[in-house]
Amino acid sequence: MLKIAYILPSLANQGPILVVRDIVRSLHQVAAITVFYFDPVVEITFDCPTRRISMWEKVDLTGFDIVHSHMLRPDAFIWLNSKRIKGRTISTIHNYVEDDLRYRYNKVISVIFTKVWDILLRKHDLLVTLTADMEAYYRKLYKNPRICYVHNGRFVKSEQTDKQPVPENEQIEAFKDQSIVIGVAALLTHRKGIDQLLHLIHRNNRYKLLIIGDGQVRVKLEQLAKQLQVSERCMFLGYKKGADNYYRYFDVYAMPSRSEGFPLALIEAAAFGLPTICSDLPAFKEIFSERDVAFLNSIILMTWKTNWITCLKTVPLSRLI
């Protein structure tokens, strides 16, 4: 039986970790899998053994046919332990590294760690990106020529399978009232572009905004909502382990990202049949067509279209389960 090791930063409820969980769910009956992770964050479970390690620990990986890393520290771990790995080494790259680091930190960090990451990935036998556009991006950016792309998938619950009300059910229903609710489920960073949605509801009082998630710009978004005088039409629910349980309260799903590797939440929204708007990004256009979603160059520019929501409701959405 094939033996596979996955190296992760943590077991947090975040996109790249969820991707690995779904892969393990598909493979654990045909392969012997172990997941190794660094940080003491355990928010999701895996259908295989998991083991916490440290960056400098000498882990015996000689028995694994494949060692698959995800994100910077796991890639560094493989680089440090390359002589103790006999099998094939793979890294999945989940983002556009320059954009992600610049939005999360600053331009200096972006330049430095883009180069560092390039060095760390040179020893891998294969680099996997999430889209054809991302593959082309890394072929130009990094020295390792062994690159391909594979689209992510998701295990998604049907809307009909979970009808239990969430704890905030009455609060959300009162907030929703007769308005059109635009929903977001995301890590709150500048890269996600959620500030654009605040400007949208500022310009049109028909809409309300329901935000599932937490992150480094949450306070700034709450301050912007106050500044734009739309706080009463915004609801910040914070981090939720089962964010998809809240999709039933959305009339429209929005993903106004400024940069995105692969839109997992957008796939979930499509599976729930939600009318969806998203940024005009290559990653989105590779996965969806204009029959599936509405592409926007700028969320704010769409607010003057009085029949915008009505038009969106007529768009047939793919059910990607």
Side-chain angles (χ1 to χ4, degrees):
M1 180 179 284
L2 191 70
K3 295 187 69 176
I4 305 173
Y6 288 97
I7 317 294
L8 304 176
S10 71
L11 303 187
N13 185 26
Q14 296 177 357
I17 316 302
L18 293 173
V19 168
V20 176
R21 185 191 65 178
D22 286 350
I23 294 173
V24 170
R25 186 180 295 179
S26 298
L27 295 179
H28 79 281
Q29 292 183 340
V30 296
I33 302 174
T34 303
V35 172
F36 299 91
Y37 65 100
F38 300 123
D39 297 339
V41 179
V42 181
E43 296 173 345
I44 61 175
T45 58
F46 284 78
D47 296 331
C48 71
T50 59
R51 174 184 163 188
R52 189 185 171 201
I53 59 175
S54 71
M55 176 63 76
W56 310 109
E57 183 176 345
K58 294 182 179 180
V59 181
D60 184 10
L61 298 172
T62 56
F64 290 97
D65 301 294
I66 297 173
V67 181
H68 192 164
S69 56
H70 293 254
M71 303 169 75
L72 179 60
R73 281 183 294 158
D75 290 337
F77 183 83
I78 285 186
W79 187 86
L80 289 169
N81 292 275
S82 58
K83 292 182 180 180
R84 286 193 290 271
I85 299 174
K86 304 301 181 183
R88 298 290 185 177
T89 55
I90 301 172
S91 174
T92 294
I93 308 175
H94 293 265
N95 58 4
Y96 291 83
V97 60
E98 296 167 303
D99 288 346
D100 193 34
L101 291 173
R102 186 174 70 252
Y103 285 128
R104 186 175 297 187
Y105 301 105
N106 54 58
K107 188 175 181 179
V108 174
I109 293 293
S110 174
V111 171
I112 293 173
F113 279 91
T114 294
K115 295 183 182 299
V116 169
W117 216 330
D118 177 22
I119 294 171
L120 296 177
L121 290 172
R122 289 181 190 180
K123 293 186 178 182
H124 281 71
D125 294 305
L126 180 66
L127 307 182
V128 179
T129 65
L130 307 183
T131 63
D133 182 77
M134 192 183 291
E135 178 186 343
Y137 169 85
Y138 279 104
R139 284 193 181 279
K140 293 179 181 178
L141 186 67
Y142 281 171
K143 301 295 184 182
N144 192 334
R146 298 179 292 274
I147 303 176
C148 69
Y149 78 91
V150 178
H151 290 159
N152 281 337
R154 288 291 286 120
F155 285 99
V156 182
K157 293 183 298 184
S158 168
E159 187 179 17
Q160 302 303 318
T161 64
D162 190 358
K163 288 294 186 180
Q164 295 298 318
V166 300
E168 306 89 349
N169 179 66
E170 293 184 4
Q171 180 186 2
I172 296 173
E173 292 289 359
F175 168 79
K176 186 178 174 72
D177 196 22
Q178 300 299 314
S179 300
I180 297 170
V181 172
I182 301 172
V184 177
L187 181 67
L188 304 187
T189 66
H190 181 64
R191 180 173 62 86
K192 293 296 184 178
I194 296 168
D195 54 292
Q196 298 176 90
L197 298 176
L198 294 173
H199 285 283
L200 185 153
I201 66 172
H202 168 68
R203 290 172 176 245
N204 194 318
N205 59 16
R206 296 174 61 209
Y207 309 141
K208 290 182 179 178
L209 182 59
L210 180 57
I211 301 172
I212 311 297
D214 211 340
Q216 62 189 47
V217 301
R218 176 173 174 173
V219 173
K220 290 183 178 180
L221 290 173
E222 291 174 338
Q223 291 173 343
L224 179 60
K226 290 180 181 178
Q227 179 184 335
L228 295 174
Q229 299 181 335
V230 295
S231 294
E232 293 184 356
R233 289 190 287 120
C234 292
M235 178 177 285
F236 292 83
L237 285 182
Y239 166 79
K240 300 295 177 184
K241 185 175 181 180
D244 55 351
N245 290 326
Y246 293 81
Y247 284 18
R248 75 188 73 156
Y249 301 103
F250 300 165
D251 295 306
V252 178
Y253 190 87
M255 185 174 273
S257 303
R258 295 182 168 94
S259 175
E260 197 73 48
F262 194 91
L264 288 178
L266 207 59
I267 292 178
E268 292 174 350
F272 279 82
L274 280 170
T276 303
I277 55 174
C278 61
S279 306
D280 188 14
L281 295 176
F284 296 164
K285 299 184 100 173
E286 185 173 325
I287 300 160
F288 295 99
S289 71
E290 292 183 354
R291 294 186 60 188
D292 303 318
V293 301
F295 292 108
L296 308 180
N297 288 316
S298 171
I299 296 290
I300 300 172
L301 293 178
M302 294 296 292
T303 60
W304 59 269
K305 291 192 174 183
T306 56
N307 292 324
W308 171 47
I309 297 294
T310 302
C311 290
L312 283 176
K313 285 183 178 292
T314 68
V315 175
L317 293 172
S318 298
R319 293 182 174 273
L320 306 178
I321 301 178

